[in-house]
Amino acid sequence: MNTRLSTAAIDTLRANALRFLAIDAVEAAQSGHPGMPMGMAEIAVALWTRHLKHDPATPEWADRDRFVLSNGHGSMLLYGLLHLSGYDLTLDDIKQFRQLDSRTAGHPEVGHTPGVETTTGPLGQGLANAVGMAMAEKLLAAEFNRPGHTVVDHRTWVFMGDGCLMEGISHEAASLAGVQRLSKLVCFWDDNRISIDGNVAGWFTDDTPARFRAYGWNVIEGVDGHDVEDVDRAIREAQANMDNDIGPTLICCLTTIGKGSPAKAGSAGVHGAPLGADEIAATRTALDWPHAPFEVPDEIRASFDARDRGEAARIEWQARFEAYRAAHPELAAEFSRRVRGDLPSSWRALAPALVRRADNEAATVATRKASQTAIERLARALPELLGGSADLTHSNLTDWPECGAVRADQFGRHINWGVREFGMAAALNGISLHGGYLPFGATFLVFSDYARNAIRMSALMRQRVVYVMTHDSIGLGEDGPTHQPVEHVPSLRLIPNLDVWRPCDAVETQAAWNAGITRRDGPALLALSRQALPHQARSEAQLAAIERGGYVLADAHDPQLIILATGSEVALAMAARDALTADGIGVRVVSMPCTNVFDRQDDAWKRSVLPGDIPRLAVEAAQPDLWWKYLAGAPRSAVVGIDHFGASAPAGALMQRFGFTAEAVTGAARALIEP
Amino acid sequence: MNTRLSTAAIDTLRANALRFLAIDAVEAAQSGHPGMPMGMAEIAVALWTRHLKHDPATPEWADRDRFVLSNGHGSMLLYGLLHLSGYDLTLDDIKQFRQLDSRTAGHPEVGHTPGVETTTGPLGQGLANAVGMAMAEKLLAAEFNRPGHTVVDHRTWVFMGDGCLMEGISHEAASLAGVQRLSKLVCFWDDNRISIDGNVAGWFTDDTPARFRAYGWNVIEGVDGHDVEDVDRAIREAQANMDNDIGPTLICCLTTIGKGSPAKAGSAGVHGAPLGADEIAATRTALDWPHAPFEVPDEIRASFDARDRGEAARIEWQARFEAYRAAHPELAAEFSRRVRGDLPSSWRALAPALVRRADNEAATVATRKASQTAIERLARALPELLGGSADLTHSNLTDWPECGAVRADQFGRHINWGVREFGMAAALNGISLHGGYLPFGATFLVFSDYARNAIRMSALMRQRVVYVMTHDSIGLGEDGPTHQPVEHVPSLRLIPNLDVWRPCDAVETQAAWNAGITRRDGPALLALSRQALPHQARSEAQLAAIERGGYVLADAHDPQLIILATGSEVALAMAARDALTADGIGVRVVSMPCTNVFDRQDDAWKRSVLPGDIPRLAVEAAQPDLWWKYLAGAPRSAVVGIDHFGASAPAGALMQRFGFTAEAVTGAARALIEP
């Protein structure tokens, strides 16, 4: 380091290094968002060089601080920080910004770039992810720390802009963080008064500090976002708030978007487009940055390098953890297992045993009730299971006898999320990303709409999150069409990497839960009935086959028809089969609880379940169009579904009205057999 | 009226009449939500008997106040009010609460029950609908009122509970109402401290009055929600706020859920379940209500009857309107047309002329740009067109030269919605429900997820709303998988009564816009490209056929293959056709811009477009599974689609990588022809 330079001068150079990496990468890509990195550069310097606890060589270190770029379009700021801090992200990677197969995608993607904690870009969700991370930290600390042994103690830091704050999910997330008193959560508001349409005065005039105080946050106002010392002072004040455990902190940083660009700073034009060669030259002059594109002087590079400091911190923690292991060997082993995301060794035997147990019980219950039974049994075996409901606990049936509540000062395992479906789902992603817990959340299936993009993000980020979505289809009954999800099961099936289960009885419900827990690379969503569904008899082979997503539930010597059904309609298919069998017509019934998993089976399995030369009838109380995928190739085929909204009436009356009766299914079946 | 009774005594009886109608109807149905009607009964009495401007005999009166029950589960409160006020809703209707085909559905449904202004139940959306209604009122007043002639001057009143306030959309809606200074919007917060999971202290500790003050609302705190006089006083204070035009008003009413039930008042148990016979008897005793179920004493009934008062108010308005008509005959005629929702008489000729004009221009442009051209032309002919973007105006391309902005004190036609997709969509529903405008809103297609349930509500409520969703599919390019809607077009197609258009060029874009505007019974959603798409040549008959949703764009004498394509992939289909034609293989190309509309065509049309005996190939850069519906029955078939998330890279590189090239489509076509 050039010793002639003052701290302030070094900080200025650091900030400008971040600015120009962003400027140059966006210019090279001819695509991207320079405005935010240029506007938040000093805030980043203050946090990353003075406070952030991380080890660039060990990005997976369990007790690292979590950093979330909720305004993910400013990805180049994060890539610049990761590169200069010493993560495995090279200058060549940065030169490949936004190019095919590069590690520097347009928005930060977790699992794709070392040091990226969550995939952001869809505004507001990063903040909600961070709330989940801070909840996980707090709960894990309560569960594992012991007197004299603090092995969990880290912070969650968030960068966010006006866009995040306008989104509704920011309300859900901030309100939740307040009520849960997440004191180790610190958010930096990039208050630059510009959004894509221009100066926000015309569409965003909230008193944001007052709003966050109303949520129970500590709000630090009036910070100069371009003064590293002022930001540093605010961070230290936030740390003091943490020590007093008085809630999350919002640091309001006054900034200028595109700071440094003579012509474009402070304007929407710098948000999401390259500066252009002339303006870049002008900015180089204005900021006195004589270096070539992508060139960072060695001394600045060295001043950012966090590897030594990070390694020392991690080694210090490792020593503490070894002391913990010595004092609490079982806890330490459990902690290690939990943060690895491994299931207990008992799981391999337990999972099929639970399915067999449900089979033995042969209960006729609503699958939401069967899910509650499954949760209770799973929770006893899996201490990492952590979940709850968006204010429908006694409808979704998510609690269990010894669960205990999660509150600001209570450390149970059941979360009353409040009426916050989207915030819940995004926080579940945060919990899963943090590690240590296997999270689930619940609401009515129809309100999966509210949470939809966060469910998509679970799938995109390959997170093990289980969604418990009850009150499926018109079987919901009297609450009517606003609450009856007729299109939701098929529409959710279309989200890549999401496994949608619609079990037909308690046995399939247990199997669906098992699949969601066993899966490590994506979410599962369970669509569960309000109404009771009868038990279906199965052989051992059939019990094992459920996990294939589609299997033969009942067969005939020489079937003349295959009926495919899911959920509440499997019983109708079985009844139709009985009626036709009585007439000497052989029918195979295929239960298809998860089309997504069935699609991943090999061709031999698929052909064995759905041989090509037999007519097929699909039955599902949902929008029917997707079923044609499973009917293609059959000599004749039809779907019994519902291609319109439901109505308000008792479930039985609706099933009758809309054609979901054994008689109607039998009739549709006959029409295919006797054309 | 029994003259011995004081006003206070009458109000108590009125409130109890509402309570028992709810209690008795829920008990008869053995399903429903008595807690809210019992808790908000006095608030309802204050508003409905002293302030609400409405004429029960003419529910469609343009200048009526709008009443929105955002906590729609309390539907029996609204039904009781409508019945007792004199709407066409009988006691028999109420006895049929939640039964099949009754007019008293589980949640209020607009178009189903006279006097219901919007369908509510999905929490928070009623508030956002109301914001749209109040915006429409304010804009319509600015557009049509003239000095000495006030023909638009009504209020929007909202009931809402903690559930609405926890939802993220309440933030978007309230923030928007503040920035737009919607002074005639008055909301009553049913502050009963109970949500479904119990006392909200464990999950909802916002300082709601402070929060709403942060949005620029007038907040009236500490109102006793069980004292009609106190509520009345607050309403009068809100009216004074209106006169001063200082923003929307929140009236915070302290209430007890299930008020009157000795055992259940103040508990979550009374929220969503019948009280049960014993508790009903106890409540009758406690409230001194000796009447039989569903019996309302005549004098109470008479005291509620709003027909005379309502008719007088409406006649007074009618007289004012006649004076307005005399002074401003053209304005009056235009006003009447606008509130009827009729299009101008010129529309019938204009619509096809605009399609022909686009055809003549033969432009190669992005369909988002073609949409902007369409908007500009439509806006000149249709003064009711009112729309904007959720902070992506210059990406969605929603503005036009003379549009002018909608601000608190500016009355243009373009709305900067801010980053509030869900709030925008629900407000669009409110604008449409209010009447006078034909609203549209825009965001990136991927963020239709954020707005999804409001889009569903547009469809359920059969509202003419146009959604302009740009940056379709992987053609979006560098922003990457978080921003690339691969499953959205098919998943939106599954929403009943929503028409999803994915036009292939400027001509189809204009036709799609025309269809959305012509349609009166539901919404249209346009999925538009970021990238330029080539013009396709069409005959007059083909131009006219676009409105059928699917049609033959190019044919062959004896086609050996049909390629179905939409949007950006139509050009690939045409290129593949060229290649195959050069090899002597005849190919038909079917452009299918709207499968939903195609589905509504008669069988003859469908067969003429898709004859059964020719192999079919579908090509769409989206999740492919839905296409099998249109391939069923063909001798051989395949889909070129994308069943996984996209990636961050320039669009051309992604199209190449994921197989959306003329060569790949040609190859897939050959495989079907030469199996």
Side-chain angles (χ1 to χ4, degrees), chain A residues 515-551:
Chain A
I517 284 170
T518 304
R519 192 170 189 221
R520 292 204 59 158
D521 60 354
L525 184 145
L526 278 55
L528 302 170
S529 74
R530 178 188 182 209
Q531 72 273 30
L533 302 182
H535 171 73
Q536 303 295 337
R538 292 177 187 81
S539 67
E540 275 287 318
Q542 286 172 319
L543 291 177
I546 299 172
E547 69 181 27
R548 287 177 173 265
Y551 63 100

mmCIF file of all heavy atoms in Angstrom, chain A residues 515-551:
data_model
loop_
_atom_site.group_PDB
_atom_site.id
_atom_site.type_symbol
_atom_site.label_atom_id
_atom_site.label_comp_id
_atom_site.label_asym_id
_atom_site.label_seq_id
_atom_site.Cartn_x
_atom_site.Cartn_y
_atom_site.Cartn_z
ATOM 1 N N ALA A 515 -40.545 -37.337 -0.447
ATOM 2 C CA ALA A 515 -39.850 -36.922 -1.669
ATOM 3 C C ALA A 515 -39.336 -35.496 -1.535
ATOM 4 O O ALA A 515 -38.209 -35.181 -1.945
ATOM 5 C CB ALA A 515 -40.791 -37.037 -2.865
ATOM 6 N N GLY A 516 -40.168 -34.630 -0.949
ATOM 7 C CA GLY A 516 -39.749 -33.235 -0.778
ATOM 8 C C GLY A 516 -38.544 -33.108 0.141
ATOM 9 O O GLY A 516 -37.680 -32.249 -0.068
ATOM 10 N N ILE A 517 -38.489 -33.975 1.134
ATOM 11 C CA ILE A 517 -37.377 -33.911 2.092
ATOM 12 C C ILE A 517 -36.122 -34.558 1.529
ATOM 13 O O ILE A 517 -35.014 -34.077 1.740
ATOM 14 C CB ILE A 517 -37.817 -34.571 3.418
ATOM 15 C CG1 ILE A 517 -38.733 -33.581 4.148
ATOM 16 C CG2 ILE A 517 -36.631 -34.977 4.270
ATOM 17 C CD1 ILE A 517 -39.434 -34.146 5.331
ATOM 18 N N THR A 518 -36.312 -35.628 0.786
ATOM 19 C CA THR A 518 -35.157 -36.343 0.233
ATOM 20 C C THR A 518 -34.476 -35.536 -0.869
ATOM 21 O O THR A 518 -33.256 -35.558 -1.014
ATOM 22 C CB THR A 518 -35.610 -37.702 -0.328
ATOM 23 O OG1 THR A 518 -36.276 -38.418 0.719
ATOM 24 C CG2 THR A 518 -34.434 -38.514 -0.831
ATOM 25 N N ARG A 519 -35.302 -34.816 -1.625
ATOM 26 C CA ARG A 519 -34.787 -34.046 -2.749
ATOM 27 C C ARG A 519 -33.830 -32.963 -2.253
ATOM 28 O O ARG A 519 -34.136 -32.239 -1.319
ATOM 29 C CB ARG A 519 -35.987 -33.394 -3.443
ATOM 30 C CG ARG A 519 -35.641 -32.809 -4.751
ATOM 31 C CD ARG A 519 -36.850 -32.374 -5.551
ATOM 32 N NE ARG A 519 -36.346 -32.032 -6.852
ATOM 33 C CZ ARG A 519 -36.728 -30.992 -7.570
ATOM 34 N NH1 ARG A 519 -37.693 -30.228 -7.147
ATOM 35 N NH2 ARG A 519 -36.176 -30.741 -8.725
ATOM 36 N N ARG A 520 -32.678 -32.816 -2.899
ATOM 37 C CA ARG A 520 -31.739 -31.783 -2.458
ATOM 38 C C ARG A 520 -31.619 -30.638 -3.446
ATOM 39 O O ARG A 520 -30.956 -29.641 -3.140
ATOM 40 C CB ARG A 520 -30.364 -32.392 -2.226
ATOM 41 C CG ARG A 520 -30.358 -33.342 -1.037
ATOM 42 C CD ARG A 520 -29.007 -33.501 -0.438
ATOM 43 N NE ARG A 520 -28.436 -32.259 0.035
ATOM 44 C CZ ARG A 520 -27.477 -32.183 0.953
ATOM 45 N NH1 ARG A 520 -27.011 -33.285 1.481
ATOM 46 N NH2 ARG A 520 -26.990 -31.022 1.320
ATOM 47 N N ASP A 521 -32.195 -30.788 -4.611
ATOM 48 C CA ASP A 521 -31.905 -29.793 -5.643
ATOM 49 C C ASP A 521 -33.141 -29.059 -6.145
ATOM 50 O O ASP A 521 -33.170 -28.582 -7.273
ATOM 51 C CB ASP A 521 -31.172 -30.454 -6.812
ATOM 52 C CG ASP A 521 -31.996 -31.563 -7.431
ATOM 53 O OD1 ASP A 521 -33.074 -31.888 -6.895
ATOM 54 O OD2 ASP A 521 -31.561 -32.115 -8.453
ATOM 55 N N GLY A 522 -34.152 -28.962 -5.284
ATOM 56 C CA GLY A 522 -35.315 -28.195 -5.714
ATOM 57 C C GLY A 522 -36.473 -28.342 -4.754
ATOM 58 O O GLY A 522 -36.457 -29.183 -3.853
ATOM 59 N N PRO A 523 -37.480 -27.505 -4.952
ATOM 60 C CA PRO A 523 -38.628 -27.481 -4.051
ATOM 61 C C PRO A 523 -39.700 -28.505 -4.435
ATOM 62 O O PRO A 523 -39.763 -28.976 -5.572
ATOM 63 C CB PRO A 523 -39.176 -26.067 -4.236
ATOM 64 C CG PRO A 523 -38.831 -25.729 -5.651
ATOM 65 C CD PRO A 523 -37.534 -26.438 -5.968
ATOM 66 N N ALA A 524 -40.530 -28.812 -3.460
ATOM 67 C CA ALA A 524 -41.723 -29.629 -3.704
ATOM 68 C C ALA A 524 -42.927 -28.830 -3.227
ATOM 69 O O ALA A 524 -42.849 -28.092 -2.234
ATOM 70 C CB ALA A 524 -41.635 -30.945 -2.947
ATOM 71 N N LEU A 525 -44.015 -28.960 -3.952
ATOM 72 C CA LEU A 525 -45.263 -28.303 -3.578
ATOM 73 C C LEU A 525 -46.343 -29.367 -3.474
ATOM 74 O O LEU A 525 -46.548 -30.147 -4.410
ATOM 75 C CB LEU A 525 -45.625 -27.239 -4.617
ATOM 76 C CG LEU A 525 -46.858 -26.385 -4.326
ATOM 77 C CD1 LEU A 525 -46.645 -24.954 -4.845
ATOM 78 C CD2 LEU A 525 -48.129 -26.962 -4.930
ATOM 79 N N LEU A 526 -47.012 -29.392 -2.317
ATOM 80 C CA LEU A 526 -48.049 -30.391 -2.082
ATOM 81 C C LEU A 526 -49.418 -29.728 -2.192
ATOM 82 O O LEU A 526 -49.715 -28.782 -1.457
ATOM 83 C CB LEU A 526 -47.892 -30.998 -0.684
ATOM 84 C CG LEU A 526 -46.860 -32.115 -0.494
ATOM 85 C CD1 LEU A 526 -45.467 -31.710 -0.938
ATOM 86 C CD2 LEU A 526 -46.842 -32.578 0.958
ATOM 87 N N ALA A 527 -50.241 -30.212 -3.114
ATOM 88 C CA ALA A 527 -51.610 -29.720 -3.267
ATOM 89 C C ALA A 527 -52.529 -30.686 -2.527
ATOM 90 O O ALA A 527 -52.677 -31.848 -2.929
ATOM 91 C CB ALA A 527 -51.992 -29.641 -4.744
ATOM 92 N N LEU A 528 -53.120 -30.189 -1.444
ATOM 93 C CA LEU A 528 -53.798 -31.081 -0.507
ATOM 94 C C LEU A 528 -55.279 -30.750 -0.391
ATOM 95 O O LEU A 528 -55.687 -29.596 -0.507
ATOM 96 C CB LEU A 528 -53.124 -30.963 0.863
ATOM 97 C CG LEU A 528 -51.616 -31.282 0.852
ATOM 98 C CD1 LEU A 528 -50.980 -30.913 2.177
ATOM 99 C CD2 LEU A 528 -51.371 -32.752 0.515
ATOM 100 N N SER A 529 -56.049 -31.779 -0.123
ATOM 101 C CA SER A 529 -57.505 -31.611 -0.106
ATOM 102 C C SER A 529 -58.001 -31.095 1.233
ATOM 103 O O SER A 529 -57.440 -31.388 2.291
ATOM 104 C CB SER A 529 -58.193 -32.944 -0.414
ATOM 105 O OG SER A 529 -58.107 -33.811 0.697
ATOM 106 N N ARG A 530 -59.063 -30.324 1.159
ATOM 107 C CA ARG A 530 -59.809 -29.972 2.367
ATOM 108 C C ARG A 530 -60.614 -31.173 2.845
ATOM 109 O O ARG A 530 -60.758 -31.404 4.041
ATOM 110 C CB ARG A 530 -60.737 -28.799 2.049
ATOM 111 C CG ARG A 530 -61.592 -28.371 3.225
ATOM 112 C CD ARG A 530 -62.639 -27.344 2.810
ATOM 113 N NE ARG A 530 -63.423 -26.909 3.963
ATOM 114 C CZ ARG A 530 -64.682 -26.499 3.914
ATOM 115 N NH1 ARG A 530 -65.310 -26.442 2.753
ATOM 116 N NH2 ARG A 530 -65.317 -26.141 4.997
ATOM 117 N N GLN A 531 -61.184 -31.906 1.882
ATOM 118 C CA GLN A 531 -62.131 -32.972 2.190
ATOM 119 C C GLN A 531 -61.420 -34.326 2.380
ATOM 120 O O GLN A 531 -60.328 -34.529 1.874
ATOM 121 C CB GLN A 531 -63.185 -33.080 1.075
ATOM 122 C CG GLN A 531 -62.705 -33.667 -0.245
ATOM 123 C CD GLN A 531 -62.087 -32.655 -1.218
ATOM 124 O OE1 GLN A 531 -61.510 -31.660 -0.807
ATOM 125 N NE2 GLN A 531 -62.177 -32.938 -2.492
ATOM 126 N N ALA A 532 -62.096 -35.228 3.081
ATOM 127 C CA ALA A 532 -61.532 -36.555 3.323
ATOM 128 C C ALA A 532 -61.461 -37.344 2.018
ATOM 129 O O ALA A 532 -62.346 -37.250 1.162
ATOM 130 C CB ALA A 532 -62.387 -37.309 4.346
ATOM 131 N N LEU A 533 -60.394 -38.118 1.879
ATOM 132 C CA LEU A 533 -60.214 -38.979 0.704
ATOM 133 C C LEU A 533 -59.975 -40.399 1.199
ATOM 134 O O LEU A 533 -59.248 -40.611 2.173
ATOM 135 C CB LEU A 533 -59.028 -38.504 -0.132
ATOM 136 C CG LEU A 533 -59.091 -37.056 -0.650
ATOM 137 C CD1 LEU A 533 -57.867 -36.746 -1.500
ATOM 138 C CD2 LEU A 533 -60.367 -36.816 -1.452
ATOM 139 N N PRO A 534 -60.557 -41.367 0.519
ATOM 140 C CA PRO A 534 -60.433 -42.749 1.001
ATOM 141 C C PRO A 534 -59.037 -43.323 0.786
ATOM 142 O O PRO A 534 -58.330 -42.952 -0.150
ATOM 143 C CB PRO A 534 -61.461 -43.502 0.151
ATOM 144 C CG PRO A 534 -61.578 -42.706 -1.103
ATOM 145 C CD PRO A 534 -61.387 -41.270 -0.697
ATOM 146 N N HIS A 535 -58.670 -44.236 1.663
ATOM 147 C CA HIS A 535 -57.411 -44.973 1.515
ATOM 148 C C HIS A 535 -57.482 -45.893 0.306
ATOM 149 O O HIS A 535 -58.519 -46.489 0.029
ATOM 150 C CB HIS A 535 -57.184 -45.806 2.779
ATOM 151 C CG HIS A 535 -56.043 -46.770 2.664
ATOM 152 N ND1 HIS A 535 -54.723 -46.360 2.671
ATOM 153 C CD2 HIS A 535 -56.032 -48.123 2.527
ATOM 154 C CE1 HIS A 535 -53.940 -47.424 2.552
ATOM 155 N NE2 HIS A 535 -54.714 -48.500 2.470
ATOM 156 N N GLN A 536 -56.376 -45.976 -0.414
ATOM 157 C CA GLN A 536 -56.270 -46.933 -1.512
ATOM 158 C C GLN A 536 -55.335 -48.075 -1.088
ATOM 159 O O GLN A 536 -54.282 -47.830 -0.514
ATOM 160 C CB GLN A 536 -55.718 -46.252 -2.783
ATOM 161 C CG GLN A 536 -56.540 -45.063 -3.265
ATOM 162 C CD GLN A 536 -57.943 -45.452 -3.727
ATOM 163 O OE1 GLN A 536 -58.199 -46.614 -4.088
ATOM 164 N NE2 GLN A 536 -58.860 -44.495 -3.691
ATOM 165 N N ALA A 537 -55.730 -49.279 -1.401
ATOM 166 C CA ALA A 537 -54.896 -50.444 -1.065
ATOM 167 C C ALA A 537 -53.726 -50.541 -2.037
ATOM 168 O O ALA A 537 -53.870 -50.252 -3.232
ATOM 169 C CB ALA A 537 -55.739 -51.721 -1.138
ATOM 170 N N ARG A 538 -52.562 -50.927 -1.515
ATOM 171 C CA ARG A 538 -51.363 -51.031 -2.353
ATOM 172 C C ARG A 538 -50.503 -52.209 -1.898
ATOM 173 O O ARG A 538 -50.436 -52.529 -0.719
ATOM 174 C CB ARG A 538 -50.503 -49.764 -2.262
ATOM 175 C CG ARG A 538 -51.124 -48.531 -2.876
ATOM 176 C CD ARG A 538 -50.224 -47.324 -2.651
ATOM 177 N NE ARG A 538 -50.853 -46.097 -3.085
ATOM 178 C CZ ARG A 538 -51.740 -45.407 -2.380
ATOM 179 N NH1 ARG A 538 -52.124 -45.843 -1.189
ATOM 180 N NH2 ARG A 538 -52.272 -44.299 -2.861
ATOM 181 N N SER A 539 -49.820 -52.790 -2.838
ATOM 182 C CA SER A 539 -48.805 -53.794 -2.527
ATOM 183 C C SER A 539 -47.520 -53.088 -2.108
ATOM 184 O O SER A 539 -47.386 -51.873 -2.265
ATOM 185 C CB SER A 539 -48.524 -54.640 -3.773
ATOM 186 O OG SER A 539 -47.907 -53.825 -4.752
ATOM 187 N N GLU A 540 -46.554 -53.883 -1.610
ATOM 188 C CA GLU A 540 -45.240 -53.311 -1.287
ATOM 189 C C GLU A 540 -44.628 -52.635 -2.512
ATOM 190 O O GLU A 540 -44.053 -51.548 -2.420
ATOM 191 C CB GLU A 540 -44.290 -54.411 -0.785
ATOM 192 C CG GLU A 540 -44.412 -54.715 0.694
ATOM 193 C CD GLU A 540 -43.821 -53.612 1.591
ATOM 194 O OE1 GLU A 540 -42.744 -53.088 1.272
ATOM 195 O OE2 GLU A 540 -44.476 -53.282 2.604
ATOM 196 N N ALA A 541 -44.755 -53.279 -3.643
ATOM 197 C CA ALA A 541 -44.168 -52.703 -4.861
ATOM 198 C C ALA A 541 -44.846 -51.385 -5.211
ATOM 199 O O ALA A 541 -44.184 -50.433 -5.638
ATOM 200 C CB ALA A 541 -44.300 -53.693 -6.020
ATOM 201 N N GLN A 542 -46.135 -51.348 -5.013
ATOM 202 C CA GLN A 542 -46.842 -50.090 -5.302
ATOM 203 C C GLN A 542 -46.454 -48.993 -4.312
ATOM 204 O O GLN A 542 -46.300 -47.832 -4.699
ATOM 205 C CB GLN A 542 -48.355 -50.322 -5.280
ATOM 206 C CG GLN A 542 -48.852 -51.084 -6.513
ATOM 207 C CD GLN A 542 -50.303 -51.473 -6.400
ATOM 208 O OE1 GLN A 542 -50.753 -51.889 -5.324
ATOM 209 N NE2 GLN A 542 -51.031 -51.351 -7.497
ATOM 210 N N LEU A 543 -46.296 -49.381 -3.052
ATOM 211 C CA LEU A 543 -45.845 -48.377 -2.070
ATOM 212 C C LEU A 543 -44.502 -47.770 -2.505
ATOM 213 O O LEU A 543 -44.298 -46.561 -2.424
ATOM 214 C CB LEU A 543 -45.701 -49.007 -0.684
ATOM 215 C CG LEU A 543 -46.993 -49.439 0.009
ATOM 216 C CD1 LEU A 543 -46.667 -50.123 1.342
ATOM 217 C CD2 LEU A 543 -47.924 -48.255 0.237
ATOM 218 N N ALA A 544 -43.626 -48.635 -2.980
ATOM 219 C CA ALA A 544 -42.304 -48.146 -3.401
ATOM 220 C C ALA A 544 -42.389 -47.331 -4.686
ATOM 221 O O ALA A 544 -41.542 -46.485 -4.958
ATOM 222 C CB ALA A 544 -41.349 -49.320 -3.586
ATOM 223 N N ALA A 545 -43.409 -47.606 -5.476
ATOM 224 C CA ALA A 545 -43.511 -46.955 -6.792
ATOM 225 C C ALA A 545 -44.033 -45.535 -6.716
ATOM 226 O O ALA A 545 -43.904 -44.775 -7.680
ATOM 227 C CB ALA A 545 -44.410 -47.788 -7.713
ATOM 228 N N ILE A 546 -44.616 -45.151 -5.585
ATOM 229 C CA ILE A 546 -45.185 -43.792 -5.506
ATOM 230 C C ILE A 546 -44.130 -42.751 -5.825
ATOM 231 O O ILE A 546 -44.394 -41.764 -6.516
ATOM 232 C CB ILE A 546 -45.797 -43.546 -4.104
ATOM 233 C CG1 ILE A 546 -46.915 -44.541 -3.820
ATOM 234 C CG2 ILE A 546 -46.329 -42.111 -4.001
ATOM 235 C CD1 ILE A 546 -47.441 -44.488 -2.374
ATOM 236 N N GLU A 547 -42.903 -43.036 -5.349
ATOM 237 C CA GLU A 547 -41.857 -42.026 -5.529
ATOM 238 C C GLU A 547 -41.471 -41.844 -6.986
ATOM 239 O O GLU A 547 -40.693 -40.950 -7.309
ATOM 240 C CB GLU A 547 -40.626 -42.364 -4.682
ATOM 241 C CG GLU A 547 -39.877 -43.570 -5.152
ATOM 242 C CD GLU A 547 -38.673 -43.870 -4.263
ATOM 243 O OE1 GLU A 547 -38.706 -43.499 -3.081
ATOM 244 O OE2 GLU A 547 -37.711 -44.488 -4.759
ATOM 245 N N ARG A 548 -42.007 -42.664 -7.869
ATOM 246 C CA ARG A 548 -41.757 -42.473 -9.301
ATOM 247 C C ARG A 548 -42.740 -41.474 -9.931
ATOM 248 O O ARG A 548 -42.671 -41.188 -11.109
ATOM 249 C CB ARG A 548 -41.821 -43.804 -10.034
ATOM 250 C CG ARG A 548 -40.606 -44.687 -9.744
ATOM 251 C CD ARG A 548 -40.741 -46.030 -10.421
ATOM 252 N NE ARG A 548 -39.547 -46.854 -10.324
ATOM 253 C CZ ARG A 548 -38.593 -46.913 -11.259
ATOM 254 N NH1 ARG A 548 -38.677 -46.150 -12.330
ATOM 255 N NH2 ARG A 548 -37.562 -47.716 -11.114
ATOM 256 N N GLY A 549 -43.677 -40.991 -9.133
ATOM 257 C CA GLY A 549 -44.551 -39.921 -9.609
ATOM 258 C C GLY A 549 -45.800 -40.404 -10.316
ATOM 259 O O GLY A 549 -46.814 -39.703 -10.330
ATOM 260 N N GLY A 550 -45.734 -41.582 -10.926
ATOM 261 C CA GLY A 550 -46.894 -42.171 -11.596
ATOM 262 C C GLY A 550 -46.707 -43.669 -11.631
ATOM 263 O O GLY A 550 -45.606 -44.143 -11.924
ATOM 264 N N TYR A 551 -47.751 -44.405 -11.313
ATOM 265 C CA TYR A 551 -47.617 -45.859 -11.197
ATOM 266 C C TYR A 551 -48.998 -46.490 -11.331
ATOM 267 O O TYR A 551 -50.029 -45.820 -11.209
ATOM 268 C CB TYR A 551 -46.977 -46.236 -9.847
ATOM 269 C CG TYR A 551 -47.828 -45.829 -8.667
ATOM 270 C CD1 TYR A 551 -48.646 -46.761 -8.009
ATOM 271 C CD2 TYR A 551 -47.875 -44.498 -8.238
ATOM 272 C CE1 TYR A 551 -49.449 -46.365 -6.954
ATOM 273 C CE2 TYR A 551 -48.686 -44.107 -7.193
ATOM 274 C CZ TYR A 551 -49.470 -45.048 -6.550
ATOM 275 O OH TYR A 551 -50.286 -44.653 -5.519
#
